[in-house]
Amino acid sequence: MTEWGGATSPAGGNGGRRRLAAARGEPRAARQPLERPAPLRQAVYDVIAEMIINRELQPGEHLVENELAAQLGVSRQPVREALQRLQSEGWVDLRPALGAFVHVPTEEEADQLLATRTLLESESARLAAKQGTPEQVERLRELQRVGEKALSDDDQVALVDANAALHAYVVAMSGNKVLAELIAMVDRRVRWYYAPIARSRGRQAWDEHAALIDVIASRNSRRAGEIMRRHTERTRESYHQRRKEAAEREAPG
């Protein structure tokens, strides 16, 4: 008997027979055909996810398949498939006999993710200051200008997108692919949490970005990590403060 993943299986089981067949040069057994690409299903998923992130679809909102299908100009099938995927990724809650609802993030969920973001992005800023080129710093300044324009236009969607783009470029400057992959895993949800506070963070956040860019340009890696840590922690604090104020407004009496 051999151990595999915590379970025992006979050495001469299916896996063993396949290895013996391969060793003898026998043809491999046929596998299940691969599914063909489904660009419409992916497109519907992306659109609904963005609607959730940008708060066009609010937390707790009922998602009606036929209404979404009509809005997007598609049949109900890709909408149903997109909602199932969104449910598996934590964006949507499917309730028996009631349907689909936009997930309402708990305070614990948000705190854990934003804390993880602080750790990852502090390291990315530290590495960006070590690895970044003058051309990359200039690109950061261009992204800063885009964000400041969105701020002056009071455009929440553009603010969220500009904030994400600037942070993503700092990650790219770090040159650490593993770090970039880890941050990409949390990026969409960070944008979701950031959307309600984009305006309230406003000028302070973009002043912090400007200071970060200057420090990266000076190649002070320790200071860059510290500034990014404080910057992301302030975003975390602002998110919790907004939730507290919303709860107080909704409290009876």
Side-chain angles (χ1 to χ4, degrees):
M1 304 287 280
T2 57
E3 295 285 341
W4 184 256
T8 59
S9 62
N14 290 336
R17 285 196 290 272
R18 283 195 295 268
R19 288 192 293 273
L20 289 172
R24 290 196 295 265
E26 296 177 7
R28 295 180 183 273
R31 289 181 173 271
Q32 189 77 13
L34 293 174
E35 290 186 11
R36 295 184 179 183
L40 179 60
R41 180 171 58 200
Q42 180 65 41
V44 171
Y45 164 85
D46 288 335
V47 169
I48 297 176
E50 285 301 314
M51 291 169 73
I52 292 172
I53 290 166
N54 292 326
R55 304 284 169 144
E56 185 177 343
L57 296 172
Q58 291 288 323
E61 184 172 341
H62 188 200
L63 303 174
V64 182
E65 284 182 12
N66 58 357
E67 291 179 2
L68 285 171
Q71 184 177 358
L72 301 179
V74 298
S75 69
R76 291 177 62 178
Q77 183 61 27
V79 172
R80 183 177 299 115
E81 292 171 349
L83 292 177
Q84 289 171 346
R85 179 177 168 189
L86 289 162
Q87 187 270 338
S88 70
E89 296 177 2
W91 295 98
V92 166
D93 297 325
L94 298 179
R95 302 175 189 169
L98 295 175
F101 296 80
V102 178
H103 178 66
V104 179
T106 67
E107 189 140 1
E108 184 179 17
E109 286 173 16
D111 191 67
Q112 289 179 359
L113 186 129
L114 293 172
T116 300
R117 179 211 187 198
T118 292
L119 294 173
L120 296 173
E121 295 214 17
S122 298
E123 178 64 6
S124 75
R126 187 186 72 80
L127 292 173
K130 290 181 66 175
Q131 310 281 3
T133 65
E135 293 77 16
Q136 288 176 318
V137 171
E138 181 53 37
R139 176 57 181 156
L140 273 182
R141 296 197 192 281
E142 291 173 5
L143 293 170
Q144 172 76 6
R145 289 192 285 272
V146 171
E148 290 186 347
K149 183 178 186 307
L151 184 63
S152 66
D153 293 344
D154 195 27
D155 186 334
Q156 178 176 310
V157 173
L159 266 177
V160 173
D161 289 345
N163 182 74
L166 189 146
H167 280 261
Y169 198 73
V170 172
V171 175
M173 288 175 67
S174 76
N176 187 317
K177 293 182 179 179
V178 174
L179 187 62
E181 289 174 0
L182 291 172
I183 291 175
M185 289 172 63
V186 302
D187 174 65
R188 266 187 160 172
R189 199 162 291 264
V190 167
R191 287 172 56 208
W192 189 31
Y193 297 154
Y194 187 72
I197 62 171
R199 285 195 179 100
S200 61
R201 280 285 278 141
R203 171 49 57 191
Q204 183 187 49
W206 290 92
D207 286 347
E208 290 164 7
H209 287 157
L212 174 66
I213 294 168
D214 287 342
V215 171
I216 289 175
S218 73
R219 306 187 71 82
N220 186 333
S221 58
R222 181 187 61 79
R223 182 72 175 144
E226 290 174 353
I227 289 177
M228 180 65 91
R229 180 185 58 77
R230 285 204 303 272
H231 171 68
T232 53
E233 278 296 305
R234 284 174 182 150
T235 296
R236 182 182 176 192
E237 291 164 4
S238 294
Y239 178 85
H240 289 307
Q241 181 62 31
R242 184 184 182 279
R243 283 186 66 114
K244 180 181 177 182
E245 291 170 355
E248 289 173 350
R249 286 195 302 270
E250 293 169 4

